């Protein structure tokens, strides 16, 4: 399941009650919140698994952090799409704030890619296209969402990375973590602040300039590039990545895979154009381009294709005795003292179909910069907050250049 840096909670133990929920296990903990798999109980043995995202108590008194947490739930409340997890509740309990969300049982697309690579098979092209097209649908829904009065919210995710794209065993892809999303519904200004992960940011996002949905298209273009070439697009220190993103065009995928399809390369590079006006205009347009490509080449790109690869790359985990006990205990409450979750799938594994492009199934050897922890950004710090120096309005230097000069000077001093 999804890997993350876990911060221990001295008050947590399995089976702890939290309001009307029962905390089963901690999934992750980040800079401002901890995430639990929880169980919501009802009458006649009814229960369902949910996710509780709980703000750290000491941060609940921080007005800015609290607003960010609340805004994430408010954004998700406006989104109703199969490729975006649902938020069911935002509340305050035990001196802190929490939100209740849909439990997505699956793996990040980074984990799925690595699982296939370890078996000597790169993710087949139809699987990559199918997953990316589902993310396109999620983004298009978010970009065009409106409030209850029909006013555009202009949501921009700002952190579309492989670690925020989850894939379930049934082949459904979910775009996770709207925690740093930009929206017109957010009343406070965020001038001079860059939020996201540098190696997946659009140039205008790195430069702290106004952004729209095309910034997310760029980020998804980076993911598409990396999944289809087996190599990282932007590597190096934060400073080196910033320079590459802003000042250098992405190298053609065919430079890394000689037989890369020319019409797919055209789509990828159009999504990665540095100037937003020249970039593919929307997530819907990107999905349409990929769909036409798949049709021209006779590729099946639906969820079933994704599911077949996932089941082959990540076989079902055997069900343990305690998990079987949970099923019986659910029929007759009292509640189990140490309930566990079922991470298994009893469905028969189906071998993945032969890919149309064999040259994209077998990765280069070795996988350049795309191996295990270096494959994609570590989840230890998925969100980078960079406070850009504010400059005088009369100055011709923008925040990116000011920050660049400052960091280079600091690196020289360190040497």
């Amino acid at each position: 399941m999804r890997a993350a840096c876990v911060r221990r909670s001295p008050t947590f133990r399995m089976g702890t009650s939290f309001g009307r929920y029962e905390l089963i296990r901690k999934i992750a903990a980040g800079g401002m919140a901890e995430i639990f798999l929880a169980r919501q109980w009802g009458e006649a043995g009814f229960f369902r698994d949910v996710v509780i995202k709980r703000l750290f108590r000491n941060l609940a008194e921080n007005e800015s952090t609290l607003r960010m947490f609340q805004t994430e739930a408010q954004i998700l409340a406006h989104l109703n799409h199969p490729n975006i997890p649902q938020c069911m509740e935002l509340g305050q309990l035990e001196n802190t704030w929490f939100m209740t969300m849909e439990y997505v049982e699956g793996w990040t697309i980074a984990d799925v890619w690595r699982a296939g690579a370890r078996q000597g098979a790169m993710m087949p092209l139809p699987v990559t296209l199918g997953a990316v097209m589902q993310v396109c649908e999620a983004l298009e829904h978010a970009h065009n969402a409106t409030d209850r009065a029909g006013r555009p919210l202009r949501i921009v995710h700002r952190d579309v990375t492989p670690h925020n794209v989850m894939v379930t065993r049934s082949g459904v892809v979910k775009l996770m973590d709207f925690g740093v999303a930009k929206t017109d519904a957010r009343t406070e200004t965020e001038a001079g602040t860059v939020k996201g992960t540098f190696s997946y940011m659009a140039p205008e996002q790195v430069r702290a300039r106004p952004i729209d949905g095309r910034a997310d298209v760029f980020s998804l273009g980076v993911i598409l590039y990396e999944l289809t070439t087996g190599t990282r697009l932007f590597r190096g220190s934060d400073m080196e990545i910033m320079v590459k993103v802003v000042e250098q065009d992405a190298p053609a995928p065919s430079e890394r895979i000689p037989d890369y399809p020319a019409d797919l390369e055209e789509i990828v590079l159009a999504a990665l154009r540095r100037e937003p006006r020249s970039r593919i205009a929307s997530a819907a347009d990107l999905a349409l381009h990929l769909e036409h490509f798949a049709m021209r080449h006779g590729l099946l790109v639906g969820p079933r294709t994704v599911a077949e690869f996932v089941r082959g790359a990540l076989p079902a985990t055997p069900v343990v005795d305690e998990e079987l006990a949970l099923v019986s205990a659910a029929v007759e409450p009292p509640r189990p003292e140490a309930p566990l979750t079922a991470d298994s799938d009893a469905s028969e594994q189906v071998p993945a179909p032969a890919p149309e492009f064999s040259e994209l199934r077998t990765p280069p050897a070795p996988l350049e910069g795309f191996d295990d922890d270096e494959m994609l950004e570590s989840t230890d710090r998925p969100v980078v907050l960079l406070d850009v120096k504010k400059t005088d309005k009369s100055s011709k230097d923008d925040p990116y250049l000011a920050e660049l000069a400052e960091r280079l000077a600091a690196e020289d001093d360190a040497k």
Side-chain angles (χ1 to χ4, degrees):
M1 292 300 155
R2 191 176 187 185
C5 175
V6 176
R7 226 167 98 183
R8 293 188 179 276
S9 170
T11 60
F12 169 72
R13 61 183 180 82
M14 192 165 65
T16 298
S17 294
F18 183 70
R20 57 197 178 100
Y21 302 99
E22 183 176 19
L23 304 183
I24 306 302
R25 63 181 171 88
K26 181 179 286 189
I27 298 175
M32 71 176 190
E34 50 190 350
I35 302 174
F36 297 92
L37 172 63
R39 184 149 295 146
Q40 179 183 350
W41 289 91
E43 299 298 328
F46 169 86
F47 70 91
R48 68 171 176 176
D49 291 339
V50 296
V51 164
I52 299 291
K53 185 172 183 178
R54 188 167 68 180
L55 188 65
F56 288 123
R57 288 185 177 87
N58 62 307
L59 296 179
E61 298 176 1
N62 184 299
E63 185 177 351
S64 176
T65 303
L66 178 57
R67 266 202 309 269
M68 183 182 295
F69 185 84
Q70 293 169 338
T71 300
E72 179 183 4
Q74 291 162 359
I75 288 175
L76 289 172
H78 288 286
L79 304 179
N80 184 15
H81 193 274
N83 299 119
I84 299 175
Q86 298 296 294
C87 180
M88 286 88 78
E89 182 180 7
L90 172 67
Q92 193 174 12
L93 188 65
E94 297 181 5
N95 299 319
T96 193
W97 284 80
F98 74 97
M99 67 179 81
T100 306
M101 303 174 65
E102 171 189 354
Y103 172 48
V104 179
E105 186 175 9
W107 297 265
T108 70
I109 199 160
D111 293 332
V112 175
W113 194 100
R114 279 197 292 261
R118 290 191 187 109
Q119 298 177 17
M122 191 167 162
M123 183 181 288
L125 183 57
V127 176
T128 300
L129 297 181
V132 169
M133 288 167 67
Q134 289 189 57
V135 180
C136 284
E137 299 302 331
L139 287 173
E140 182 66 14
H141 177 76
H143 294 163
N144 292 284
T146 60
D147 63 15
R148 301 295 186 267
R151 295 179 296 249
L153 291 172
R154 295 185 179 86
I155 296 169
V156 184
H157 188 282
R158 295 202 292 188
D159 199 27
V160 180
T161 71
H163 290 293
N164 282 333
V165 175
M166 295 287 289
V167 186
T168 70
R169 192 173 292 279
S170 59
V172 176
V173 176
K174 302 269 189 179
L175 178 61
M176 312 292 288
D177 198 352
F178 282 74
V180 297
K182 169 192 171 294
T183 172
D184 282 2
R186 192 191 296 267
T187 55
E188 69 270 21
T189 59
E190 296 177 329
T193 300
V194 176
K195 295 185 178 181
T197 306
F198 284 129
S199 50
Y200 296 93
M201 280 188 194
E204 63 272 23
Q205 189 175 351
V206 172
R207 299 177 74 145
R209 291 182 172 176
I211 62 172
D212 55 25
R214 292 172 294 185
D216 288 339
V217 170
F218 185 95
S219 301
L220 191 52
V222 177
I223 294 176
L224 180 59
Y225 185 105
E226 294 184 340
L227 293 177
T228 54
T229 64
T231 59
R232 289 291 301 276
L233 179 53
F234 300 113
R235 302 183 64 196
S237 65
D238 285 349
M239 184 54 34
E240 291 169 338
I241 290 172
M242 289 170 69
V243 172
K244 289 176 182 177
V245 169
V246 174
E247 300 178 0
Q248 300 177 14
D249 292 328
S254 56
E255 294 180 14
R256 303 190 178 185
I257 294 190
D259 296 329
Y260 198 94
D263 45 351
L264 179 59
E265 178 172 270
E266 185 178 354
I267 297 170
V268 172
L269 292 179
L272 291 172
R273 287 176 185 156
R274 287 183 289 149
E275 183 59 48
R277 290 174 296 181
S278 303
R279 196 177 303 152
I280 290 178
S282 68
D285 286 345
L286 177 56
L288 193 60
H289 283 301
L290 295 177
E291 185 176 359
H292 286 172
F293 170 84
M295 291 174 63
R296 285 195 301 271
H297 295 278
L299 302 179
L300 299 176
V301 294
R304 190 175 300 278
T305 300
V306 178
E308 288 174 349
F309 179 74
V310 171
R311 291 172 182 172
L314 295 154
T317 305
V319 179
V320 298
D321 292 340
E322 288 175 298
E323 291 175 324
L324 290 173
L326 170 61
V327 178
S328 345
V331 178
E332 38 183 295
R335 303 174 184 177
E337 291 183 1
L340 299 175
T341 57
D343 290 335
S344 62
D345 188 336
S347 59
E348 187 177 354
Q349 294 182 30
V350 181
E356 192 74 17
F357 296 102
S358 58
E359 69 274 10
L360 288 181
R361 182 179 176 87
T362 305
L367 293 176
E368 180 192 344
F370 214 52
D371 183 29
D372 286 357
D373 292 339
E374 291 212 358
M375 170 191 162
L376 299 169
E377 288 293 342
S378 169
T379 51
D380 289 348
R381 53 180 189 94
V383 176
V384 178
L385 300 180
L386 170 65
D387 292 325
V388 180
K389 286 284 185 180
K390 294 183 179 180
T391 58
D392 185 82
K393 292 183 179 180
S394 62
S395 173
K396 295 182 180 179
D397 292 335
D398 62 23
Y400 161 74
L401 295 178
E403 174 66 19
L404 181 61
E406 182 178 329
R407 288 202 176 194
L408 289 175
E411 290 179 4
D412 291 339
D413 292 339
K415 293 177 181 178

